[in-house]
Amino acid sequence: QVQLVQSGAEVKKPGASVKVSCKTSGYTFSSSGISWVRQAPGQGLEWMGWIGGYNGDTKYAQNLQDRVTMNIDTSTSTAFMELRSLRSDDTAVYYCARYPITPGGSWGQGTLVTVSS
Amino acid sequence: EIVMTQSPATLSVSPGERATLSCRASQSVSSKLAWYQQKPGQAPRLLIYAASTRATGTPGRFSGSGSGTEFTLTISSLQSEDFAVYYCQQYNDWPLTFGPGTKVDIK
């Protein structure tokens, strides 16, 4: 079955960078892309961007495009999201999700990133 | 950017009752609308896509309708496991955008 398994929780200081991975299995990685979504504590869902699994084409949310980079490693069917110049309001759970949407609706389990001095 | 709004913010319903959740887009998204359910400490779960198609494993008591700018998620008879937050998302245009959510809680 389709699985998206994310890397573990991170604690970072303001100004640092974080890189979250999303290892996929159960489908042909190049057949679709990965969206990244984050959720601050007690808040709603915020779409961060998307990367294509075939050629690494990207779409970023305008408010993050100066600080975020998404890439893929097709040899391991893994997607990565790096966020730089971290601030306290970047504290959130970060999710990867398969996109375009498929009937199974696959999401990763989430990665908590805490930004604190 | 397409702005998604949801109403009400909170819906208090008794088990066995019907719940109707609304989602509105600031411009047409055709039928490219998904509904997600999220419980505390869990990842969102896809319930409905293409406005009215149930995702794999979605119980028949969940139904979606609408197109263009107005959408509805109906839960015909609420079960205890349905108390959660529900989000709509448009995927007709970049950036993909979510609504702020509707919390369904026990009356």
Side-chain angles (χ1 to χ4, degrees):
Chain A
Q1 77 279 23
V2 175
Q3 286 192 301
L4 282 68
V5 179
Q6 298 182 223
S7 48
E10 303 262 13
V11 179
K12 297 291 183 181
K13 294 192 182 302
S17 298
V18 69
K19 192 168 188 176
V20 180
S21 66
C22 173
K23 183 169 177 58
T24 73
S25 60
Y27 72 99
T28 302
F29 184 72
S30 60
S31 67
S32 61
I34 296 289
S35 271
W36 288 90
V37 175
R38 69 178 179 177
Q39 186 171 39
Q43 302 301 307
L45 302 171
E46 178 187 12
W47 181 81
M48 300 178 67
W50 170 87
I51 184 164
Y54 177 69
N55 59 6
D57 189 23
T58 53
K59 302 282 187 186
Y60 296 141
Q62 187 168 18
N63 65 323
L64 294 171
Q65 62 184 5
D66 293 338
R67 297 195 293 132
V68 70
T69 301
M70 297 176 187
N71 50 41
I72 56 174
D73 180 346
T74 56
S75 68
T76 61
S77 300
T78 302
F80 300 90
M81 185 284 300
E82 181 180 36
L83 189 60
R84 301 177 294 278
S85 302
L86 288 168
R87 311 187 291 241
S88 58
D89 62 357
D90 292 317
T91 294
V93 177
Y94 290 74
Y95 296 101
C96 62
R98 190 178 174 191
Y99 183 81
I101 292 172
T102 57
S106 308
W107 284 58
Q109 82 276 19
T111 297
L112 175 63
V113 175
T114 302
V115 183
S116 174
S117 55
Chain B
E1 170 175 321
I2 298 174
V3 177
M4 307 300 292
T5 56
Q6 292 184 243
S7 61
T10 303
L11 185 61
S12 296
V13 185
S14 299
E17 288 189 340
R18 183 186 192 91
T20 302
L21 289 66
S22 295
C23 174
R24 176 175 291 180
S26 61
Q27 63 191 75
S28 176
V29 299
S30 185
S31 293
K32 294 189 175 178
L33 191 284
W35 289 95
Y36 296 88
Q37 176 193 68
Q38 189 179 34
K39 298 179 181 179
Q42 296 184 15
R45 170 196 171 195
L46 178 69
L47 291 177
I48 300 283
Y49 64 99
S52 61
T53 303
R54 279 189 288 272
T56 304
T58 299
R61 61 183 180 273
F62 290 90
S63 62
S65 63
S67 66
T69 61
E70 302 280 344
F71 300 89
T72 301
L73 175 69
T74 302
I75 312 171
S76 60
S77 176
L78 267 152
Q79 307 298 302
S80 58
E81 61 267 30
D82 300 335
F83 293 99
V85 179
Y86 293 83
Y87 295 94
C88 61
Q89 180 200 31
Q90 68 81 20
Y91 54 99
N92 187 64
D93 198 9
W94 304 107
L96 308 187
T97 46
F98 290 93
T102 291
K103 182 178 181 180
V104 177
D105 65 15
I106 301 174
K107 188 174 183 180

